Amino acid sequence: MLQREGYIPVWLESGLLDLYYNGFCNSVLWQLFHYVPLQLDGWQRVQEHQTLQMQWGAYQQANDRFGEVVLAVYQPGDMVWVQDYHLMLLPSILKNAVPRAKVGWFLHTPFPSSEIYRTLPVREDVLRATLRADLIGFHTYDYARHFISSCTRILGLEGTPEGVEDNGSVARVAAFPIGIDPERFAQALETEEVQMNIAKLLNRYAGRKVMLGVDRLDMIKGIPQKLLAFEKFLHEHPEWRDKVLLVQIAVPSRTDVPEYQKLRSMVHEIVGRINGAFGTLTYVPIHHLDRQLSFHELCALYAVTDVALITSLRDGMNLVSYEYVACQADNAGVLVLSEFAGAAQSLGAGSILVNPWNINDVAAAIEDALTMSEEERRERHRQNYMHVATHTAQTWADTFISELNDTHIEADLRLRHTPPELDFAEVRSLGAGVLGICLLACCSRYVWLRCLSTCMDPGRHKHC
């Protein structure tokens, strides 16, 4: 069925898939890009180093497989848009086979500072392969700047306002903030199903302020920090007890990984402690769900929420913030947003920005959000909604594709004006008189000659 819609499968054996996806992609690249350093204790054992080598080999092999499938269906003039850290070698594979191919690459996670990235053992290979793309895109200017900095510090290449230059070839690097389809949420809010859910929620939470967290159960989402901040808020503001509650949706992920199992246990322990300390027979401070809601259930919950709490420790963008804004036309709820989420650079003006590591900061932001005047709430929401309505997912895609077309045209023009490489053997074979006549007749190239080092093989006369 997917093939009828234009999808083409790439088949990977289970062993290769595990080493590639769970291994190098998620255990190495994903962690490093989210500022989680490689484990020091693992490097005390030779076996761990060998495992990394196997994962890297699987990553190369998987990228080769994708390249084979793409090249099998590629036709001249096609555009190839490569997505995310799983396929950072693919631009090089495609360009080696089809040098004039139009190739773009976009990263959906953060790109770390060069000090973090340089710890990757295969740092040069990954950078050089990615740089073969005509256009390299990131969510924010910070991520783009970090990438260019890594190229200059690790590869010794020149960073320019356009991107990265390597021997006259320029890989353009730019920011393309992704968005959502706000119209989809607006239409959903008008449906009978969502309106019924809204009525039920308003009746259930009547007389109380509702705060909401919607996160994947992941180490970088900052769920424990959010819960601890709410606990501190209830400690310091007893007048708000029984008047505010937090609905936390924690969508399970990687349930077979021990670290994630520990995280789930930690979250459950904190939730139980807070509910036990501040709950009553008629009031539970935290409503915690370990499951994913349907789209219509989520839209209704967004609509009735007074404060959204997003405390990511590191996030490429975080589109939950966009979805919340899209569903708040009537309520004009307050968005409390981590400064470490990519969305902070887009929605920062209309949000309360917080450092999620600072529990006092987040607790104070909760108080500010709950006591904010309606006039300020509506003005902040207006600013955020303007951005969400303008920078949609379709706009993101259209802008990237347009820029990739323009970048490819500019590269072609630059290539036409680049003179061919000088054939050293041919020049050396010319006599001095003939060479002088050739230089006088040449009008498109200027050759600077030095007696010894120019006309001799540089490999045999390094002292010259």
Side-chain angles (χ1 to χ4, degrees):
M1 182 179 70
L2 291 177
Q3 286 181 319
R4 289 198 299 269
E5 296 181 9
Y7 294 90
I8 300 175
V10 178
W11 302 107
L12 301 177
E13 300 83 8
S14 59
L16 174 62
L17 178 63
D18 182 60
L19 286 170
Y20 160 65
Y21 184 76
N22 295 322
F24 196 78
C25 289
N26 288 336
S27 298
V28 180
L29 289 182
W30 186 91
Q31 295 203 51
L32 202 65
F33 285 6
H34 288 86
Y35 288 76
V36 180
L38 299 175
Q39 297 298 318
L40 294 176
D41 58 345
W43 289 92
Q44 296 174 6
R45 300 185 295 273
V46 175
Q47 182 181 0
E48 297 296 332
H49 176 71
Q50 293 173 341
T51 299
L52 179 63
Q53 294 301 311
M54 293 173 60
Q55 292 171 344
W56 168 238
Y59 186 81
Q60 293 174 299
Q61 189 176 348
N63 274 252
D64 284 334
R65 293 277 187 89
F66 274 88
E68 292 170 3
V69 173
V70 172
L71 292 171
V73 298
Y74 177 85
Q75 296 180 3
D78 284 351
M79 173 185 294
V80 183
W81 188 1
V82 184
Q83 303 289 332
D84 230 358
Y85 59 91
H86 309 85
L87 298 170
M88 295 184 75
L89 306 183
L90 189 54
S92 177
I93 295 170
L94 299 177
K95 285 288 192 176
N96 287 339
V98 187
R100 303 298 292 276
K102 193 183 303 181
V103 180
W105 178 79
F106 188 87
L107 182 65
H108 291 269
T109 71
F111 193 89
S113 69
S114 59
E115 285 300 315
I116 294 291
Y117 178 80
R118 70 194 305 181
T119 63
L120 181 66
V122 290
R123 57 192 187 184
E124 294 95 345
D125 306 78
V126 174
L127 282 180
R128 290 195 181 279
T130 306
L131 282 171
R132 295 296 302 278
D134 299 294
L135 178 62
I136 299 172
F138 300 91
H139 283 309
T140 73
Y141 291 104
D142 282 350
Y143 305 158
R145 177 170 52 84
H146 290 163
F147 179 81
I148 294 174
S149 176
S150 294
C151 293
T152 57
R153 297 188 65 184
I154 295 172
L155 301 180
L157 302 179
E158 181 181 354
T160 71
E162 293 295 316
V164 179
E165 183 174 353
D166 183 10
N167 292 325
S169 175
V170 178
R172 182 154 180 233
V173 180
F176 301 90
I178 199 171
I180 62 171
D181 179 7
E183 192 60 31
R184 178 179 177 230
F185 289 86
Q187 292 174 358
L189 291 174
E190 301 298 325
T191 62
E192 182 179 355
E193 180 181 355
V194 173
Q195 286 297 318
M196 289 177 60
N197 284 330
I198 289 175
K200 291 178 182 178
L201 291 172
L202 289 175
N203 181 63
R204 178 178 179 82
Y205 302 140
R208 295 188 175 103
K209 293 283 189 178
V210 179
M211 299 195 302
L212 175 65
V214 180
D215 307 279
R216 191 175 70 252
L217 187 60
D218 203 308
M219 269 110 45
I220 57 102
K221 294 298 184 178
I223 298 176
Q225 287 79 359
K226 179 190 307 182
L227 298 175
L228 292 174
F230 185 48
E231 181 180 34
K232 183 174 181 59
F233 170 77
L234 293 176
H235 265 301
E236 295 181 346
H237 299 279
E239 71 276 10
W240 276 102
R241 298 173 192 174
D242 199 35
K243 295 181 180 178
V244 61
L245 59 89
L246 170 64
V247 179
Q248 176 62 53
I249 310 299
V251 181
S253 67
R254 306 183 193 178
T255 54
D256 57 335
V257 179
E259 288 79 4
Y260 285 79
Q261 294 170 357
K262 292 177 183 178
L263 175 63
R264 182 179 181 181
S265 298
M266 180 196 301
V267 170
H268 287 180
E269 180 184 343
I270 299 174
V271 170
R273 186 181 72 228
I274 295 173
N275 284 343
F278 301 102
T280 66
L281 290 176
T282 58
Y283 167 65
V284 179
I286 301 177
H287 294 212
H288 181 82
L289 280 77
D290 276 325
R291 68 179 183 87
Q292 189 168 3
L293 298 182
S294 70
F295 174 67
H296 289 98
E297 288 177 324
L298 191 58
C299 287
L301 191 53
Y302 281 145
V304 303
T305 297
D306 299 290
V307 178
L309 283 177
I310 296 173
T311 54
S312 308
L313 306 181
R314 191 70 61 174
D315 229 341
M317 178 56 77
N318 192 295
L319 294 179
V320 168
S321 57
Y322 282 57
E323 295 172 358
Y324 174 70
V325 170
C327 294
Q328 281 287 313
D330 294 333
N331 203 30
V334 181
L335 176 62
V336 177
L337 180 60
S338 167
E339 63 186 54
F340 297 112
Q345 296 195 18
S346 305
L347 305 180
S351 308
I352 299 178
L353 295 181
V354 294
N355 174 5
W357 294 102
N358 187 337
I359 303 303
N360 295 331
D361 187 23
V362 180
I366 292 175
E367 181 187 12
D368 291 342
L370 291 173
T371 58
M372 186 178 295
S373 68
E374 182 176 357
E375 181 181 0
E376 183 178 354
R377 286 200 338 261
R378 295 206 171 276
E379 175 57 25
R380 285 175 177 267
H381 175 264
R382 185 191 65 80
Q383 294 181 41
N384 282 342
Y385 188 79
M386 283 181 59
H387 181 89
V388 171
T390 304
H391 298 82
T392 64
Q394 189 62 53
T395 301
W396 166 75
D398 291 343
T399 303
F400 189 95
I401 291 172
S402 175
E403 291 291 335
L404 178 54
N405 279 321
D406 293 345
T407 300
H408 195 260
I409 293 173
E410 292 171 4
D412 278 348
L413 293 175
R414 192 182 304 111
L415 188 63
R416 293 176 187 176
H417 290 87
T418 302
E421 292 185 7
L422 189 65
D423 189 330
F424 182 79
E426 182 180 352
V427 172
R428 188 172 54 183
S429 67
L430 296 175
V434 176
L435 180 60
I437 295 173
C438 290
L439 290 173
L440 290 174
C442 177
C443 60
S444 61
R445 172 177 289 176
Y446 178 72
V447 182
W448 182 271
L449 298 180
R450 180 170 175 261
C451 180
L452 292 178
S453 61
T454 303
C455 296
M456 293 183 179
D457 188 341
R460 293 167 50 198
H461 298 274
K462 295 181 180 179
H463 63 279
C464 298

